[in-house]
Amino acid sequence: MLFGTIKGMLSVQNVDKSFGGIRAVAGCSLKVDDGAIIGLIGPNGAGKTTLFKIISGFEKPDNGAIRFEGENVAATSSFELAKRGLIRTFQLSKALTKLTVEENMMLAPQFQHGERIWNIWLRAKEVKRQEEENRAKAISLLELFDLLPLKDEYAGALSGGQKKLLEMARAIMADPKMLLLDEPFSGVNPTLAKKLLGHIQDLRENKGMSFLIIEHDMPMIMQLCDYIYVLSKGKVIASGAPDEVRADERVLDAYLGGV
Amino acid sequence: MGHLIKIYLYNTMIDYIITVLLIAAIYAIFALGLNLEWGFTGLINFGHVAFLAIGAYTTVLLNLSGVPIPLSVIASMCLAGLCGGLLGIPTLKLRADYLAIVTIGFAEIIRFALLNEGWLTRGAMGLYGYSRPCEELIEYLHLDYNTFFFLVVLLILVLCYLILEKLIKSPWGRVLKSIREDEEVPTSLGKNVFRYKIQVLVLGSMIAGLAGSLLAFYLQYINPWNFVPLVTFYAWIAVVLGGSGNNKGTVLGAFILWTFFSVTRFAQGYAPLSPTQMGALRIMIIGLLLIILMMFKPEGLLGKKEELTLES
Ligand SMILES: Nc1ncnc2c1ncn2[C@@H]1O[C@H](COP(=O)(O)OP(=O)(O)O)[C@@H](O)[C@H]1O
Ligand SMILES: [Mg+2]
């Protein structure tokens, strides 16, 4: 038995999802171990983003089970999953354009005292202290993502690549146990992308964070991931260590429009 | 003799100005509630007047049955807030337009109930004969009640403004702004968007309820015609005119609107138009001014261009 024996961070079991006549995800299974960095690749329309939405509770699967830390979460609402440490980013980046870059970051931390109305009056000191802490953290993350000089700009003023970066920084700011990144490096310059690869590995090493990453840049995904799943037409057509996947004929076929 | 007439005219002028400012301040409070809902959270409430009516009638009915004024005002706010919350529960999980439709319907239901439940509200006859805050004291001190009440309302307006500003600048307010722009983002970060929206609707309705209490005290006579759907749109005009998502702008918008109303009412004596024609003309002028404003400054007088709510 492939699943259920190893207690992983995330496991997806036989998940189906159709939109009208289109079977976007067709009996998909994968798993992510604690502290693993897993890649999810496949041609456009393969169902990668849909699978992310299902995992993060933004879409309900027609069939199948999603286990997060061993618990079936197929019916859990998306914000509760995020609260439990499963954070996703969006393929079409969703920087909040009418908030500043810093405000975007400050939104992310969980359990902020100041998010409860009464605390704003009754625990004003703690709220302020927490804001200061979070601000310091935001600033160091923004620095890492080359966004610090823009911290007081409205996020609407950022370029496409910068919005992607902001979204990834914001997701990390939420201190997730597991991060789902949907094409995080599209539009990001290669030097910075390389630096961020290092940071992802850091987060795994120092915080035990797990990652599931959709990315089209093959060399980058090969370098970063422990294990890769290849999705085509809603099905996992191959999986394995980067070298195995690279050598797999089926993968090439899928990308060239075969299968 | 001429001197005395001058003093008399001067005093009536001052009285008039204070009355205008008093009404403007009450509607500014009312509009601040809507600004919290629409301006900061993006909730479309087309029935805000319902909560003004609930506030006014609750205050008056309790007052008439002998409940002390402060208690009746608090009860009005609570009832208005409760109704807001109850409306939100079935609608806020749906698409944004559902709230708009349900609130329009709710406001009309409330108005028809006020008209038809005569045993309670005396229907179209309206309610009067209730007491006002500190009435005896002010009389005893030989002070002008209107001026006193204006100062009370002004104080409440300032308090509302300060409380709302503090809320908006808090982490709570930050979540509201994120909901306004794209609720998938706060959701993806673990915020319970539904809970925030309910809170906002409750709070916005409580503020409208408070404005309703104050309006009742000012009018000294209320009837269902004080709460027609148009009143909701006055609040919308104030919010949009001043700049959605800007509390100062909203207050400014309310004052501009009510100054405009009273100036045009003043001009009535000189215009060759019937009151109905004049009323229609006023709305047309406001419409025209708003169109011009939206063409040149869509973010409103004090709004920030970068935070424009309407654009997507
Ligand atoms: N909300 C939706 N309604 C209808 N079809 C959808 C929807 N979301 C995705 N699809 C379809 O599902 C398939 C998979 O899409 P997607 O998951 O975005 O692919 P990928 O991210 O791998 O490029 C596509 O054919 C897409 O058109
Ligand atoms: Mg995709």
Side-chain angles (χ1 to χ4, degrees):
Chain A
M1 209 173 107
L2 185 56
F3 299 104
T5 43
I6 310 161
K7 191 178 176 252
M9 186 47 101
L10 175 80
S11 86
V12 172
Q13 295 164 319
N14 293 318
V15 164
D16 279 311
K17 179 77 189 177
S18 302
F19 296 105
I22 305 168
R23 263 188 103 187
V25 178
C28 206
S29 299
L30 58 79
K31 79 182 173 55
V32 179
D33 283 335
D34 230 328
I37 301 179
I38 306 296
L40 186 58
I41 61 173
N44 288 321
K48 305 181 298 294
T49 298
T50 306
L51 189 59
F52 261 30
K53 286 183 188 164
I54 292 169
I55 293 171
S56 58
F58 276 75
E59 294 273 8
K60 295 294 160 225
D62 300 336
N63 265 314
I66 316 286
R67 293 181 181 279
F68 180 60
E69 295 187 300
E71 215 176 300
N72 194 347
V73 293
T76 308
S77 57
S78 43
F79 85 88
E80 268 165 30
L81 267 170
K83 241 181 173 161
R84 280 157 69 166
L86 179 68
I87 302 274
R88 73 173 284 206
T89 64
F90 297 86
Q91 177 176 359
L92 299 170
S93 48
K94 286 182 184 270
L96 294 166
T97 57
K98 289 149 201 167
L99 267 60
T100 66
V101 168
E102 189 184 78
E103 280 177 308
N104 264 276
M105 296 295 284
M106 298 289 284
L107 180 70
Q110 307 277 341
F111 311 111
Q112 299 188 39
H113 296 310
E115 286 178 353
R116 309 214 159 237
I117 292 184
W118 292 118
N119 289 347
I120 297 166
W121 317 96
L122 302 179
R123 298 168 72 181
K125 269 216 183 92
E126 271 168 81
V127 171
K128 204 173 157 207
R129 185 184 48 77
Q130 203 181 33
E131 283 282 283
E132 293 311 316
E133 276 173 22
N134 287 341
R135 186 164 289 118
K137 189 173 162 199
I139 284 173
S140 66
L141 268 173
L142 286 175
E143 173 136 52
L144 186 74
F145 279 76
D146 281 0
L147 291 170
L148 190 55
L150 299 166
K151 87 177 165 69
D152 296 320
E153 298 286 329
Y154 282 94
L158 303 186
S159 73
Q162 286 169 331
K163 282 183 186 150
K164 278 247 88 121
L165 287 172
L166 174 59
E167 190 169 337
M168 188 168 152
R170 190 175 63 193
I172 292 172
M173 181 83 187
D175 243 336
K177 289 181 190 152
M178 171 156 195
L179 202 49
L180 306 175
L181 298 172
D182 199 341
E183 303 189 16
F185 299 115
S186 64
V188 173
N189 78 67
T191 330
L192 183 55
K194 205 164 266 167
K195 185 168 118 187
L196 294 178
L197 287 190
H199 184 60
I200 288 178
Q201 270 149 351
D202 258 17
L203 286 170
R204 177 244 291 271
E205 244 109 81
N206 300 328
K207 299 208 167 174
M209 227 181 254
S210 318
F211 291 85
L212 183 60
I213 304 176
I214 298 174
E215 185 52 63
H216 283 303
D217 185 318
M218 282 309 131
M220 193 138 46
I221 207 100
M222 297 284 166
Q223 188 198 329
L224 183 63
C225 297
D226 313 324
Y227 198 87
I228 294 172
Y229 289 90
V230 186
L231 215 60
S232 176
K233 299 186 179 155
K235 284 194 175 70
V236 175
I237 55 159
S239 68
D243 289 336
E244 293 165 13
V245 167
R246 205 193 325 252
D248 197 316
E249 295 264 315
R250 287 168 300 178
V251 178
L252 286 173
D253 282 350
Y255 269 97
L256 296 173
V259 176
Chain B
M1 187 64 190
H3 186 62
L4 279 178
I5 289 173
K6 244 186 218 161
I7 289 178
Y8 173 76
L9 278 180
Y10 178 75
N11 281 342
T12 18
M13 191 71 182
I14 294 282
D15 267 358
Y16 184 69
I17 290 174
I18 285 181
T19 306
V20 171
L21 293 180
L22 171 55
I23 302 171
I26 292 173
Y27 283 101
I29 295 171
F30 179 58
L32 280 176
L34 182 69
N35 191 37
L36 179 69
E37 295 169 8
W38 160 250
F40 289 107
T41 323
L43 300 181
I44 304 176
N45 179 351
F46 282 156
H48 201 42
V49 68
F51 306 102
L52 189 76
I54 290 170
Y57 270 86
T58 311
T59 301
V60 170
L61 287 171
L62 289 178
N63 187 310
L64 286 174
S65 49
V67 175
I69 286 176
L71 262 181
S72 67
V73 173
I74 289 169
S76 306
M77 292 174 70
C78 291
L79 188 61
L82 183 71
C83 292
L86 288 178
L87 269 192
I89 288 172
T91 45
L92 286 177
K93 283 206 168 154
L94 306 171
R95 275 205 333 261
D97 25 348
Y98 283 90
L99 181 66
I101 295 163
V102 168
T103 45
I104 293 183
F106 179 66
E108 281 302 87
I109 288 169
I110 290 289
R111 196 164 62 89
F112 279 103
L114 294 177
L115 264 173
N116 294 320
E117 301 304 310
W119 58 273
L120 183 67
T121 64
R122 306 211 311 158
M125 308 253 289
L127 294 168
Y128 46 85
Y130 47 92
S131 58
R132 307 200 285 171
C134 308
E135 229 166 2
E136 280 135 32
L137 179 71
I138 298 301
E139 199 169 323
Y140 177 75
L141 295 173
H142 296 288
L143 296 174
D144 175 45
Y145 192 83
N146 236 20
T147 312
F148 161 76
F149 193 58
F150 169 61
L151 293 175
V152 170
V153 171
L154 198 61
L155 182 74
I156 292 175
L157 172 61
V158 169
L159 272 175
C160 283
Y161 171 82
L162 291 176
I163 289 173
L164 285 169
E165 281 292 294
K166 175 118 178 147
L167 282 174
I168 284 317
K169 299 208 164 110
S170 73
W172 185 78
R174 197 160 53 212
V175 178
L176 300 194
K177 289 186 221 165
S178 74
I179 293 172
R180 173 183 71 183
E181 188 171 338
D182 184 345
E183 62 181 73
E184 284 199 341
V185 174
T187 302
S188 77
L189 294 169
K191 321 291 176 195
N192 185 350
V193 167
F194 178 69
R195 200 193 77 192
Y196 285 91
K197 286 183 175 175
I198 290 279
Q199 286 178 339
V200 164
L201 209 55
V202 168
L203 208 57
S205 304
M206 285 176 82
I207 294 172
L210 175 63
S213 297
L214 298 174
L215 186 67
F217 290 132
Y218 161 72
L219 291 173
Q220 291 179 274
Y221 162 60
I222 55 167
N223 71 55
W225 304 106
N226 295 131
F227 307 101
V228 292
L230 193 58
V231 179
T232 296
F233 291 91
Y234 289 156
W236 275 90
I237 293 170
V239 169
V240 173
L241 184 68
S244 298
N246 185 306
N247 287 326
K248 251 186 223 130
T250 297
V251 174
L252 179 71
F255 276 89
I256 290 177
L257 192 63
W258 260 269
T259 311
F260 172 80
F261 279 156
S262 36
V263 168
T264 47
R265 197 165 294 142
F266 219 65
Q268 172 74 65
Y270 305 93
L273 292 172
S274 74
T276 336
Q277 286 172 323
M278 192 67 188
L281 182 66
R282 289 197 324 201
I283 297 290
M284 277 168 61
I285 294 175
I286 287 179
L288 191 65
L289 289 178
L290 270 179
I291 291 171
I292 294 173
L293 180 77
M294 288 302 110
M295 282 166 67
F296 294 100
K297 212 171 172 334
E299 67 276 21
L301 294 173
L302 299 184
K304 287 189 207 142
K305 216 188 215 95
E306 295 84 352
E307 293 184 7
L308 192 57
T309 329
L310 289 166
E311 162 219 71
S312 71

